[in-house]
Structures are given as C-alpha cells and as structure tokens.
Amino acid sequence: MPLSSKHLLGMHGVPAEDLNMILDTATTFREVLERPIKKVPTLKGKTIVNLFFENSTRTRISFELAQKRLSADTINFSTSTSSTKKGETFKDTVKNIEAMKVDMIVVRHESAGVPSYLTKISDANIINAGDGRHEHPTQALLDIYSIREKLGKIAGLKVCIVGDIAHSRVALSNIYALKTLGAEVSVCGPATMIPFGMEKLGVKIIHNIDQAIAENDVLNVLRIQLERKAGTTIPSLREYHNYFGVTAERLEKNNKDILILHPGPINRGVELSSEVADGPYQIILDQVTNGVAVRMSVLYLLGTMN
Amino acid sequence: MKIILKDIRLLNPEQDLDKTADLLIEDGVISKIGNLEAADLNNAEVFEYENTVVVPGLFDMHVHLREPGREDEETIKSGSNAAAAGGFTSIACMPNTKPAIDSAEFVNSIIMKSANHLVEVLPVAAITPAREGDGLAPIAELVEAGAIAFSDDEKAVKNASVLRAALEYTNMYGKTVIEHCEDSDLSEGVMNESLVSTMLGLPSKPTISEEIVVMRDIALAEYTGGKLHIAHVSSKRSVELVREAKARGVNITAEVTPHHFSLTDEAVKTFDTNYRVNPPLRGKEDVEAILEGLKDGTIDCIASDHSPRAIEEKDVEFIYAADGMVGLETSLGLALSELVHKSVLDLAKLTELMAINPRKVLGLPVPKIEVGAKAELTVLDPDAVWTVDVKKFKSKSKNSPFDKKLLTGKSVAVINRGKMFTEDGFKDI
Ligand SMILES: [Zn+2]
C-alpha cells in the first residue's frame, strides 16, 4: 500500500494508516543505521534537492544524511529569503532547479504555505521541512517515533507541548499527528504564546508548568526564540524560566516517570535547565538519531511511489 | 446622435421611478421617455435589450488606480476602461499612488487625463502630506482643484489630533474623510486572526485592530461633527459600531466590498495569494453581520477597493505577497449574484448601494432618469449568466480570486458624457 499523497506537506489530514506506515518503515531503517555499512541502494538514481530558504543546519544535515544513506543524489541549495526578495523570485529559483530534472524537493521556508505553493509550480515530490509557523511534519514524525520507541504506544498517552506554541511549526504538526494516533494532547505556555482558537483543535490549554508535568506522560519542550522581542510576548527569559522552565526540582517534586523531548537546539537555562537537558528523563539525542531513520522512511515511501 | 433604448425597465428609487418605457437619448441628454413616435425613430440607433433595467450610472467610490507610480499595474485609462466594463460611469480614485495625490497639481492632472473618457474619475486626495500622518495636506486648495473627499487609505491617520483637525477642516467644505480603519500595531499579519490562521500558521490581523480605530474615529466624528466614512468594513463588531453611531445621530457612513460579503477566511486555506487582501477576509459571522448591515441600511455603499497588482507581487510566497484584488469588473456580478439572487436585497436597494448612496456620501448629485437630464446610466441584465475570465479584463492586472467563477447578472451598457460602452466597445452617441 502506498501513501495516500505524493507529497508530505504537513500532518493535518494525514490518515493513521499513513502515519503508521511511515513509523513502521522507519523502524527498518533504524536498524540499518546500526549496521557497520549504513547504506542501502533504494533511491539510487533519484535526485533530491534540499531547498533551504531559512538557515537550519540540523534539519538539513538530517535530511542530507538520510538521502545519502538511501544512495540518492543530493543537492543543497541554501539561501536567505532576504537575498531572494531582492533578486530572483522564489518561483524562478524553483523553475531553474527543476529544469535540472529533480525528483524530490525538501523545502524549508519562513513563509507558511510554501510547500503547497511548490506543488503548483513543480512536478517533484515535495517534502515540507518547516514552513513558517505552519508545519514541520518530519519533526512530528520523529518525535512520535521516539515516544513510541520508549513507551511502546501513542494511543492513550498524555502529551503536552510546552513553550511558544503560537510561533511554532513543530506544535501544530505534533498536535495533528498525535491526535490522529489517539493521544491526548495539551499545550502549556504563557497566554501570549498560545494562538487564537487553539482549544477548538481539541487541545487542552495549561498555563502552569507544574500542572503540565503532573498531568502528562510526555513533555515536548519547544525552543524559546531568544531573538523574540522582549516585552511583546513575555517580560523576560528569566521570568519565562522561573515560571515555565522545566527544571530538575520540578520533575523531582512530581515523583513519577515522564519523558522529555526537545526538538533542539536547546536554550539551557531557559526552557530546560541543564540538569534536565542532561538528565535521565530526556531522549534528545535519540530524537536526533531517529530523525534520520524517519526521514529515510519518508523519502523512501515517497520516492518509490511510482 | 440619437439612441433609443426600447421597452426597457427604468429604475431609480431616488425618484420613486420604476416603470417600463422607451428611452430616447439625444446628444447625451435624455430627450423623451414613453411611447416614441415615428419621428423619434428617424436616424436613431435602437437598442433592444431583453429583460434589462436602466439605473443611474453606477459609482464605485473606492478604486486604486496606479498612476502615477505603477502604470504597469493600472493607468487612469485602463482603470476607466475596466470601470466601464464593470458597469460604472464614475469612480473615485484613492490617493495612495507614488507619489501620493496630495497637491492641487496631481488632482488637476487626474481630472484632465480622464476628461475625455466616458468614466468620470474623481480624485480622493490625501489627508496628510505624502500620507505620512503628520499634519494636514492643503485641503482647501485640494477641494478647489476638485478633490471630492480625503483619505490616507491603506492606513488610518494614526495621530488622533491630526484626524480631529481633518474632520473639522474638511467639514468647512462639506467634504468627507474616508478612513481605512486599522491599528497597525495590532495588525502585523497577512490574514484574519481565527482558527484558520492558527491552523495555517500565518501571522494574523485580529478584527479588533479594525474595530478599535472605528471606535476612535466615531468618537472624533461625534465630537467634531465632521463627516466620516468608514472604508471597507469587514467585521461584525464594526457593523454594530456603525449602526450604534448612526442611531445616536453621528455623521457617519460606511461601505463594504463584494469580497467581504462573498468570501470568508476559509478561502485562504488554498494559500492562493489572490485571497490576500486588506482588511483580510473574515469569518462567517462577520459576513452574516455585513449582509444584515446591507439590508438594514447600516452599510451605505458597496465599493470594490479595486487594487491592481502585478504578477510578480502575487505569484510569490504568501507572506511576501501584496494585498489586494481587482474588483471593478466583478463587483456588480458579485453583488447581483450574492445579494439580489440570494434574496438578501432587491434591485432597487442595490441601486441605492451602488449608484445613489456613494454620491450622497460624497455630496454629489445623483443622475436622474428624466427628460432634460444628462444621460448617466447603466443598463443591467440582472439574469445574464457569465463566467469570470481574468484574461478578458480591461484592467491591466488580473489578480482576482473569482477567475472562472460563474456569476449571474452584469452590465450590458453604460452611458455617460455623450458616450456609450457596450460589448462592442466605446462610441460617441
Ligand atoms: Zn483601504
């Protein structure tokens, strides 16, 4: 059974069968990553472009490695949107790259909707590697894979996403996919960081980090953007840490097991204290390894559809 | 030259006129209404349109022409052609050109450039020099040159004391201040703030960013007694605020655009930048409130906010796209389809909204359908079914989300300044 779409634009509306297929296939690739020779010929002859209009070394490297492990030919095109705004339009850039005959495009862009715009100007398979505050589907998939690996299931789990939900692309993708797979999802953060109407997505809203810790099996703690203008959403990073930071003290007080995820890069002393970032509950580096396996799975399933 | 519109419904609620008769126009003036005699038919061109209605020429009081500055998007001429094709005999053009219309010379030049066209182009001048919000533009001079109203459209006048002065000063000349109500600090976004914007991850403009300025402006209009017109009302609360202010006797009027009564922010889910507009498309309950406001007279006018944009300003990533849609050539079709054919209001009321009230808001005379009157008329075919095709637009820009949409009702002819426009083009009559 192939996936129901030739693109991976987001987690919204993706059926559970597709999610499970991606996760199960990722398990196979996860095993490949433990072998001495970590390479399979699956996508030999396929050309994949990593089109990064926003700097994100981690995500790009993870995709690139996944592509190399699958024996695909990889091209990296990184540029800042400010330079494309001045010169060539996005559309012309894409048309140019497509003229070189590419099979798949992995795209990261600061504007929501760019992956869906790409499907209209290109025939390639499009994979969203993060569009604005909209979606980051492979991040959600690797988060869910990592949770499933540790806890053995998703259905029935209570998962809380902590941080600046309003400016996050990770939160929405996680919310959609987790709910499709039967998890109970909540978000925790200051009111100014919770977007309009979030509760209508069937998500519980929490403004107290101790409550979030007490009520949930999993915390997915998002990075607080240091560059966010102080005073417009939170008074200061110090206040954020004091009232919403996940600290060892808070976890100990909770007196039960909890799984801590973080998409990285971490701001130590802001959303996570260093003890937590290095502590027994977190699986941050597993997420990184699983990210390659999950991306291999997505690339493989889309790249071999026809 | 003589033309005859044979056996046609003549509708002008302003004159309590609604009857079927023959209409004879000689040298641009209505010379006879009623059964024509053999002599009248001599050398006359006769038009026999079936099931059509003659109304006072439609007036679009919110049009963006891009001359000077972006003539690649629209010129005074191309915009006037689009207006004629859309059924309008007169339009008011907004001053946010580059440079802005803030001097008598610019006002003059627009009037001069459009003097020989069927469509009258009436310049709205800037409230403040270069629309920058600091102090008043030379309002008396601009009035003398022919400015029909004042606006810094595309943004509100941020400084309340400047707006207060503008309301007091324009009122000496009986002119209206047209406000684009938006608090820019609250509206750093590209679509309506709603569950949809949350799901799309797009930065958003809450309705409160409009309403807070509507509230302030009403307070200033009430205090000064000046004439205030709220452009492109888009939210439920704004409609209520205008309704409440009118009930208190505030000198206030308001317009809505066809896209704000026919679309909701759900359309943005396509990420089609043609749905990007300011004010943004709002929610279902806002649309319902606007329809209610159109029905009960809270909303005085329908205006297109025709905003031509070049392809390279629209065929880009959503957050970089320019706001706006062209509207002159779909406005009437949408109004007839969404309002008249869906029984929100009747043709007489639509005539008020699209021909009579815009002129009243601006203090202009309403064309009459009577012997001796200058013929400024639109001939409507309310039941004609047609498909929007942006490629056929007279406008230089094609940024309409209504391309390929099936509409019911359109204009078949417009007459003004001794000229007539039909599907065959312009001719002198
Ligand atoms: Zn405006």
Side-chain angles (χ1 to χ4, degrees), chain A residues 210 213 246-258 260 273 275-276 279-281:
Chain A
D210 292 311
I213 291 169
V246 180
T247 61
E249 195 191 353
R250 289 199 152 111
L251 294 179
E252 274 152 28
K253 202 168 61 185
N254 184 48
N255 199 27
K256 71 171 171 57
D257 272 353
I258 193 160
I260 310 273
S273 70
E275 296 107 294
V276 175
Y281 299 118

Side-chain angles (χ1 to χ4, degrees), chain A residues 265-277:
Chain A
I266 308 164
N267 293 311
R268 287 173 183 260
V270 183
E271 67 269 6
L272 292 182
S273 70
S274 268
E275 296 107 294
V276 175

